[in-house]
Amino acid sequence: MILHNKIKRNAVDIICLLYILLFVYAAASKMLDFENFQIQLGQSPLISAFASWVAPAVLALEFLTALLLMIPKFRMAALFLALSLMSLFTVYIFIILNYSSFVPCSCGGILEKMSWTSHLIFNMIFVLLAGLGIVLHHNAERTYKSRKKAFSVLLKMIFTVGSSAVMIIILFLCSESIMHFENPFIRRYPQHPAMFERQLDLKYNSYYFAGQSHGRIYLGNYTAPLHLKSADARLRSLKAEKIVFDANGILFQKPIVSVQESFFFLKDGTVPAVFRGNTSDWKINHEIKGMPYFTQLVHMDSIAAGFRSNDGKNLAHILGVFSENARPPVKYSGKLLQKQIDGVFDTDGVLLYSEQVQRLVYVYFYRNEFIIAAKKGDLIRRGNTIDTVSKAKIKVAYLKGKKERTMNAPPLIVNANAAVCGNLLFINSKIKGKFEDSKLWEQASVIDVYDMEKSMYLMSFPIYNLQDHKMGSFFVTRDRFFALIGNSLVAYRFRDILKKEFKNGGFVQN
């Protein structure tokens, strides 16, 4: 009997030693690269919202468990703690592999070299070892009276594993809700939702995205307004088009072109003038009359548009809609833009239109807010980007008796640019979130993706620099992301993790 108990104790010693080596090594490797470990937890699809306290808690528990395993008096309690931790880790990986929205990178140490499936098997083996250690330790130390407690030990083991599983499931559900709807400024970077596909050398950097028509992406040229280039979705062919138009004495100052399927528009808000033509022959055949002065204009169809102008009192920005067939043709929506400082710089932003869901979208440059409006200019909802800059951080100086104004200091840009496609809003953010690598922000531009229908943050992905040139403007279709970077037009192909977020329909139509 004594020899039998000695074998059990030796087996328990070996199990404890394996756990001590595992926890000390794992905790030490995480501690030596704690920032990276915290970043990895911040990118986890399960516990992103709790990464700030989960990271130090895991380290503390691993070190504590290893220490308690060295002390015979606390060995049984330490084995139960080890069983709980390894159960947590095992259920965590099982949910990652089967129920999470994406599979992140692994979390360091010896396990960093393992696949997630190997990692799961490794953890399950250690769960069984902890259970075996508890049984052997109990049997080796028990007396005649304590034999009746064997069943209670088994129940405690079942409860430990079950409560650990419930705990990680609750953390997962709570974290998902917080990340999507109450995001604490933690971005999620799934593995390659947008894959680099191809780039074209345009020779010059004077191009901008004009729109799309019949599967081709059109680029306008600021220095040659009547000349366009188009490329197919995979950037395999590049074509040149020239608009046929007689200006007839119109003093254009900043003319730009936009393309929307069968139609194209030549417009200049400083005149103001808007002309329409057909992409079949690239000839101007109609002048849209009655358009007010505008600083931005997005076409909703061949006769209707959303625009941004300035009111007559203090030149503050104001949004409105125009319809050639309506009477009156112009309707201003004075309550859409909300003044914080001067009504001009603080309300600056980019006006967009999603043809698929027929919604106007306005994204502020200097605060974490965007506006969704109906085709008639009525407010639907206000949304927020995940950063915390709720008030524009700008300083305005007034010149010439307060008749002119200028920026008194460089502003804090929150959202540099944006694009919409269907129910999704893509924003180029300039604010680094929690648990993010500074090198990434030096090497790339970060795109945040939002579902406008559900008012929720989805994910983020980087668009990397080309020869030290950062991304300028960008354009989005249902399967690709196009960017102008330096002199190049670059195409990224969306993977299923992002493509599945596009909805057919979406908002209730007008």
Side-chain angles (χ1 to χ4, degrees):
M1 178 64 73
I2 296 175
L3 180 62
H4 187 61
N5 285 343
K6 186 175 181 181
I7 293 174
K8 291 180 181 178
R9 291 191 183 97
N10 289 339
V12 171
D13 288 341
I14 293 172
I15 291 172
C16 290
L17 179 61
L18 288 173
Y19 260 106
I20 291 168
L21 292 173
L22 173 66
F23 283 148
V24 169
Y25 178 80
S29 63
K30 294 183 182 94
M31 187 173 65
L32 291 173
D33 196 7
F34 182 74
E35 183 179 0
N36 184 50
F37 172 57
Q38 197 170 43
I39 288 173
Q40 289 174 337
L41 285 185
Q43 301 306 320
S44 165
L46 266 68
I47 52 176
S48 307
F50 310 116
S52 58
W53 63 264
V54 168
V58 169
L59 263 67
L61 287 172
E62 287 180 337
F63 276 127
L64 176 62
T65 304
L67 177 62
L68 293 177
L69 286 169
M70 299 177 190
I71 305 173
K73 181 180 178 181
F74 301 111
R75 182 158 286 179
M76 179 62 91
L79 284 169
F80 269 102
L81 186 55
L83 176 65
S84 178
L85 280 175
M86 293 309 296
S87 298
L88 280 170
F89 299 155
T90 303
V91 176
Y92 171 84
I93 296 171
F94 180 79
I95 296 175
I96 285 281
L97 289 174
N98 294 279
Y99 298 102
S100 68
S101 56
F102 64 95
V103 178
C105 298
S106 57
C107 297
I110 57 176
L111 304 179
E112 186 175 9
K113 305 301 180 183
M114 293 184 180
S115 68
W116 280 98
T117 302
S118 300
H119 195 160
L120 178 64
I121 295 171
F122 181 90
N123 282 8
M124 291 174 68
I125 291 172
F126 268 83
V127 168
L128 294 175
L129 284 176
L132 178 62
I134 291 171
V135 172
L136 292 177
H137 187 274
H138 174 75
N139 289 339
E141 301 297 329
R142 71 183 182 178
T143 63
Y144 175 77
K145 293 182 180 180
S146 67
R147 290 173 187 173
K148 296 180 180 180
K149 297 182 178 179
F151 184 68
S152 67
V153 171
L154 179 61
L155 288 179
K156 288 179 182 178
M157 291 170 57
I158 294 173
F159 176 79
T160 299
V161 174
S163 60
S164 299
V166 170
M167 184 184 301
I168 199 68
I169 291 171
I170 291 174
L171 284 176
F172 168 53
L173 295 176
C174 293
S175 179
E176 283 295 278
S177 178
I178 292 172
M179 286 296 295
H180 288 311
F181 300 104
E182 303 173 29
N183 191 289
F185 204 9
I186 300 174
R187 286 189 173 89
R188 282 185 168 175
Y189 293 94
Q191 294 187 38
H192 312 300
M195 295 286 292
F196 175 84
E197 188 172 40
R198 189 176 175 85
Q199 73 181 72
L200 281 177
D201 185 4
L202 300 174
K203 308 298 183 184
Y204 305 100
N205 63 0
S206 55
Y207 289 97
Y208 61 89
F209 286 104
Q212 65 175 328
S213 175
H214 305 296
R216 297 190 69 82
I217 304 301
Y218 284 84
L219 303 174
N221 193 325
Y222 289 116
T223 59
L226 298 181
H227 294 263
L228 293 89
K229 285 188 177 181
S230 70
D232 66 310
R234 296 184 179 181
L235 305 189
R236 293 173 300 184
S237 65
L238 195 63
K239 291 173 58 178
E241 304 287 356
K242 182 179 179 181
I243 295 173
V244 179
F245 176 62
D246 182 4
N248 195 25
I250 299 175
L251 299 177
F252 286 107
Q253 296 184 39
K254 297 179 180 179
I256 60 172
V257 176
S258 61
V259 179
Q260 189 179 47
E261 290 304 332
S262 299
F263 298 98
F264 71 92
F265 303 86
L266 177 66
K267 52 197 176 183
D268 187 338
T270 62
V271 177
V274 180
F275 296 88
R276 187 183 68 217
N278 197 289
T279 56
S280 61
D281 56 13
W282 296 100
K283 293 180 180 180
I284 296 288
N285 55 35
H286 179 71
E287 179 180 4
I288 299 177
K289 297 182 179 180
M291 183 70 69
Y293 289 92
F294 59 87
T295 52
Q296 292 188 43
L297 183 75
V298 290
H299 294 276
M300 297 186 283
D301 54 42
S302 62
I303 61 172
F307 66 89
R308 190 187 73 180
S309 186
N310 302 102
D311 64 29
K313 296 180 181 180
N314 56 10
L315 299 181
H317 288 138
I318 186 171
L319 297 181
V321 293
F322 172 89
S323 180
E324 193 174 13
N325 292 343
R327 292 295 177 266
V330 177
K331 175 188 174 184
Y332 290 98
S333 301
K335 295 184 179 180
L336 287 180
L337 298 182
Q338 295 180 323
K339 174 182 175 181
Q340 289 185 336
I341 299 173
D342 69 330
V344 178
F345 293 121
D346 64 335
T347 59
D348 200 6
V350 57
L351 178 63
L352 309 163
Y353 179 70
S354 175
E355 184 178 1
Q356 295 83 359
V357 295
Q358 298 185 22
R359 289 296 180 255
L360 288 165
V361 181
Y362 190 84
V363 180
Y364 288 109
F365 287 147
Y366 306 120
R367 63 177 106 160
N368 65 344
E369 187 178 340
F370 56 88
I371 302 164
I372 301 173
K375 197 172 181 180
K376 294 181 180 180
D378 301 316
L379 176 67
I380 293 177
R381 67 172 65 95
R382 300 183 189 275
N384 293 102
T385 54
I386 60 175
D387 60 89
T388 57
V389 185
S390 59
K391 185 173 182 179
K393 295 184 179 181
I394 60 175
K395 292 182 179 180
V396 181
Y398 292 88
L399 308 174
K400 297 182 180 180
K402 294 191 175 182
K403 292 183 179 180
E404 296 182 10
R405 70 192 87 190
T406 185
M407 290 280 196
N408 197 30
L412 176 66
I413 300 174
V414 177
N415 305 310
N417 209 338
V420 290
C421 182
N423 58 300
L424 300 189
L425 171 61
F426 297 76
I427 296 179
N428 176 204
S429 175
K430 289 292 186 179
I431 307 295
K432 187 175 75 170
K434 295 180 182 178
F435 316 126
E436 294 189 36
D437 190 348
S438 297
K439 291 182 179 179
L440 174 66
W441 284 78
E442 295 173 1
Q443 299 170 357
S445 300
V446 173
I447 303 296
D448 297 330
V449 186
Y450 300 85
D451 187 328
M452 297 185 294
E453 178 185 356
K454 297 180 180 178
S455 293
M456 62 184 285
Y457 165 74
L458 295 175
M459 67 186 74
S460 301
F461 59 88
I463 298 297
Y464 286 93
N465 306 342
L466 291 179
Q467 299 177 346
D468 296 327
H469 292 289
K470 278 193 170 290
M471 179 187 70
S473 58
F474 56 95
F475 187 82
V476 180
T477 65
R478 292 182 73 92
D479 57 1
R480 282 176 175 80
F481 182 98
F482 299 91
L484 290 171
I485 308 177
N487 296 340
S488 297
L489 171 62
V490 184
Y492 284 78
R493 177 175 48 84
F494 290 146
R495 298 178 68 188
D496 288 343
I497 189 174
L498 183 49
K499 289 172 68 174
K500 70 180 182 181
E501 299 295 343
F502 287 99
K503 304 294 189 303
N504 293 320
F507 299 109
V508 177
Q509 302 301 317
N510 293 333

